[in-house]
Amino acid sequence: MTAPIAAARPAAPRVNPLQRIWLREIGMERLWMRPAPAAARPAVVPQAPVSEPVLAPGLAPAVVARDIAPATVPPTVASPAPAVPQAAPVSPVPAEPMVPTTRSNGRPGIPASILNRTGPPPRPVPKAAEDEAVEAPRIPVAQAVKNATLDELREQVVACTACGLCDGRRHAVFGQGATPTRWLVVGEAPGEQEDRQGHPFVGRSGQLLDAMLAAVGMSRETDVFITNVIKCRPPGNRNPKPEEIAACSPYLMRQIALLKPERILVLGRFAAQTLLGTDATIGSLRGRVHALKTDEGVEIPVIVSYHPAYLLRSPSEKARAWQDLKLASRMV
Ligand code: URA
């Protein structure tokens, strides 16, 4: 019996997709092997579309550039994508080399990027959340707050659905304190207790904050209004995302415009970077007086200090926080 023609050729070697790419790289793929069936070809890695940062409608880019901190949070689906040449041909990306592990069961090692990662693994974004992130916010916050009184603003915050944080909250936390106010104290975002009770700084951090304010003769009942950059609790107290900051910022800006505080005490890196539009460290921001220019052109002195939650973990920094409070009160 005559052998089939194909059998007369040398048998095609068994190669895995990675070897196939290498063969192609060195121009050997066609000489070495027959064309692979479509299903066996190395997958082309789809190129992620470059998405625009999601901003609350009406929040002017100039305001965002000034008042929103650069990406200090992990990139998300709504973050500006890294600069990717759009017209560049998409080429197959070789599989990531595996790092040998000490495991003796013959299983592959852990990819280097995972092994070397310092933070938690990126969580896959559920389809619904992805849609939420790229969808325009359902109410135009920057427009709605424009002429709002403080009471109207509070109602807007309580009913806000401008970002995904509304899904998991018990209460949106508008803020609490004296009106008119001498100082505006700005923290990061509600934690678990604040989300439960609907008031800012009611947990252990809040007790310390009240004690700090009392030390300079101030109280939230008579002198100070306390609020946060973000009005709803991020799940698990994670860092707020850029689109959440953009959606929520008009509320804080309107609070500042309405309360017209003599000065603003900003607590913690996140709030300081967001309000001052910088990515400088807290160490370099504290100890001096900054200025925040409102839309009405009024300059409000801003003093940066440590977040009370940080002071609870690092009590030795309380001496510096005390200096910050004295700096703030000297100007009253
Ligand atoms: N931490 C904050 O930044 N704000 C709160 O309201 C409570 C804890």
Side-chain angles (χ1 to χ4, degrees), residues 187-191 194 200-201 205 228 307:
E188 176 174 331
E194 291 76 20
F201 282 99
S205 300
N228 288 300
H307 194 285

Side-chain angles (χ1 to χ4, degrees), residues 39-273:
R41 290 192 197 125
V44 172
V45 175
Q47 196 172 19
V50 176
S51 56
E52 291 294 323
V54 177
L55 306 177
L59 193 64
V63 174
V64 173
R66 183 168 56 81
D67 293 331
I68 305 302
T72 52
V73 292
T76 69
V77 286
S79 307
V84 177
Q86 289 304 284
V90 177
S91 57
V93 176
E96 190 174 2
M98 293 292 179
V99 174
T101 68
T102 52
R103 294 167 70 173
S104 56
N105 61 5
R107 297 237 180 101
I110 303 165
S113 66
I114 295 176
L115 205 67
N116 298 335
R117 196 159 50 205
T118 50
R123 292 217 306 261
V125 179
K127 184 76 180 73
E130 204 173 25
D131 292 345
E132 184 82 16
V134 294
E135 225 177 57
R138 280 157 277 176
I139 58 164
V141 177
Q143 288 301 315
V145 303
K146 240 176 185 164
N147 298 310
T149 63
L150 203 62
D151 285 342
E152 287 165 351
L153 195 64
R154 182 188 301 275
E155 282 166 21
Q156 289 172 0
V157 167
V158 166
C160 182
T161 55
C163 80
L165 293 181
C166 64
D167 294 334
R169 74 172 176 227
R170 290 188 177 94
H171 291 103
V173 180
F174 177 72
Q176 181 189 43
T179 53
T181 191
R182 289 167 65 195
W183 289 12
L184 179 66
V185 175
V186 182
E188 176 174 331
E192 194 195 354
Q193 286 306 314
E194 291 76 20
D195 175 60
R196 274 181 196 280
Q197 300 184 36
H199 298 301
F201 282 99
V202 291
R204 283 186 66 220
S205 300
Q207 288 166 12
L208 178 56
L209 175 60
D210 286 337
M212 289 163 62
L213 291 172
V216 287
M218 312 282 273
S219 84
R220 67 170 94 191
E221 285 76 32
T222 53
D223 316 281
V224 174
F225 193 93
I226 302 174
T227 191
N228 288 300
V229 172
I230 297 288
K231 310 301 188 206
C232 297
R233 183 192 182 204
N237 300 340
R238 66 157 167 75
N239 285 339
K241 297 177 183 175
E243 66 269 24
E244 292 160 356
I245 300 167
C248 220
S249 287
Y251 293 128
L252 178 60
M253 293 308 154
R254 185 67 186 154
Q255 282 177 314
I256 294 171
L258 286 164
L259 291 166
K260 297 184 176 54
E262 285 169 22
R263 60 193 90 286
I264 301 175
L265 177 65
V266 189
L267 301 177
R269 179 181 61 91
F270 170 84
Q273 291 181 340

